[in-house]
Amino acid sequence: MLNAASTGFATGFVLILAIGAQNAFVLRQGLRRAHVFWVCLTCATSDAILIAAGVSGFGAIADSTPWLPDLMRWLGVAFLTGYGVSRLNAARAPQAALALSGEAEPLRKALLTCLAFTWLNPHVYLDTLALIGAVSVPFEGSAKLAFGGGAISASFVFFFGLGYGARLLAPLLQSPRAWQILDAGIGLLMLVLALSLALH
């Protein structure tokens, strides 16, 4: 049981560690101290649903719908491109740069953006439904449940650690210029990810 849980935790943590659109958004919300708890909870809960589906064998069902990957891919390209352009536009305007104490966007908008980053990202399905699902195959019964629980706990640890740990960078981001650089970096990252998805 312990071995299965630790294997699940390590697998989930390694897969989620790479900086992507979802992680960059959580980092930005953490730096702004804007709806951090709800954003982290939304990301982790979404991952938990997908991981549970992958461990329970939903990957086979996803493979039986050949049109689904392409649909998700182009929806992801459109969303990442739009968000990337919006961040680059924010970086161009000094008055739009966000100070740490600046007014936060509404919770509803933040959560919808967070959900889009999660559910419109084809890589999320690859990581959770396919890869985690495949690694869980050797485990059976209670050991499989332990593996899934370990992978899900890794997601909660990562997102809450990223969201609240981002505050350690706060002293470096007190100026509008620093926020311009951050927004420009996030915008470029989104466009690179969109291009990567389009060429996949």
Side-chain angles (χ1 to χ4, degrees):
M1 291 283 287
L2 182 59
N3 177 59
S6 60
T7 301
F9 186 91
T11 302
F13 200 85
V14 167
L15 288 176
I16 203 173
L17 191 59
I19 291 297
Q22 185 188 46
N23 295 353
F25 179 74
V26 174
L27 177 64
R28 188 171 186 274
Q29 292 299 113
L31 288 167
R32 297 180 63 196
R33 302 182 184 183
H35 314 303
V36 180
F37 175 81
W38 294 110
V39 166
C40 293
L41 182 64
T42 299
C43 288
T45 302
S46 295
D47 268 12
I49 294 170
L50 290 166
I51 289 170
V55 171
S56 65
F58 187 74
I61 299 176
D63 289 339
S64 68
T65 54
W67 52 267
L68 185 60
D70 279 341
L71 174 63
M72 298 307 299
R73 178 162 64 98
W74 289 112
L75 286 174
V77 168
F79 178 75
L80 289 172
T81 300
Y83 190 80
V85 170
S86 74
R87 294 275 49 88
L88 290 176
N89 285 336
R92 290 174 54 195
Q95 68 273 16
L98 297 169
L100 293 178
S101 59
E103 183 178 352
E105 62 191 345
L107 175 61
R108 180 174 179 273
K109 181 179 179 181
L111 293 185
L112 287 175
T113 302
C114 183
L115 288 170
F117 276 131
T118 301
W119 294 93
L120 294 182
N121 179 5
H123 292 300
V124 169
Y125 297 94
L126 174 63
D127 288 349
T128 55
L129 295 181
L131 296 180
I132 291 181
V135 176
S136 73
V137 168
F139 300 100
E140 296 181 356
S142 59
K144 185 180 283 286
L145 290 177
F147 176 91
I152 289 172
S153 65
S155 182
F156 276 85
V157 169
F158 177 83
F159 282 117
F160 279 91
L162 179 64
Y164 286 100
R167 296 182 180 185
L168 298 176
L169 298 176
L172 301 176
L173 293 166
Q174 292 291 348
S175 71
R177 178 63 176 170
W179 274 103
Q180 284 182 279
I181 294 172
L182 179 67
D183 275 336
I186 290 176
L188 289 174
L189 173 63
M190 299 302 158
L191 294 182
V192 169
L193 291 172
L195 180 62
S196 175
L197 275 182
L199 297 177
H200 191 273

